[in-house]
Every structure is written in structure tokens, then in C-alpha cells.
Amino acid sequence: MEEFLVKLQDMMDSEDELTMDTILTDIEEWDSLSFVGFMAMANAEYGKKISPKDLRKSETVRDLYNLIQ
């Protein structure tokens, strides 16, 4: 879980401290580029293909984590 948070923070190039309860809309760097970047990271790092529809339902970092499980 900690490794996921580090990868997510690096992928978004965010200075914010992320927790599993962080709300995505509160993260300044969570934008369309991060959206696509997360789908690429999920596929490359975790072997998961995530649909944009499922990703749009995510509200917190925990929701993103659950998508890759």
C-alpha cells in the first residue's frame, strides 16, 4: 500500500502527502493527464487494464488502489 502511494505521487509529480483517504478532486495534479497516466501505470506496474468508466467512479486514493487489486 505504501509503495502504491509513492508510485501514485511520483506519477502525478505531486508535492502533496497522499493517504488512502485523500480525495482525488483535492489533489491539484489530478487532471486528465494524471487520469491517463494512472491507467498506464496500472497496466505497466500491476498488469491491470482499467476502463475510463471505472476510473471516473473513483473518488479517493483508496478507490484507485482497489482498482489495481
Side-chain angles (χ1 to χ4, degrees), residues 24-67:
L24 296 175
T25 55
D26 289 347
I27 305 169
E28 187 177 331
E29 294 83 7
W30 182 252
D31 56 15
S32 58
L33 195 57
S34 294
F35 189 94
V36 172
F38 179 79
M39 290 194 307
M41 181 182 84
N43 189 23
E45 299 284 330
Y46 302 98
K48 299 284 184 174
K49 290 209 180 262
I50 297 173
S51 75
K53 180 181 175 184
D54 289 338
L55 187 50
R56 273 193 287 277
K57 293 178 187 175
S58 298
E59 295 179 3
T60 65
V61 170
R62 185 178 314 279
D63 294 336
L64 297 180
Y65 182 75
N66 288 338
L67 287 174

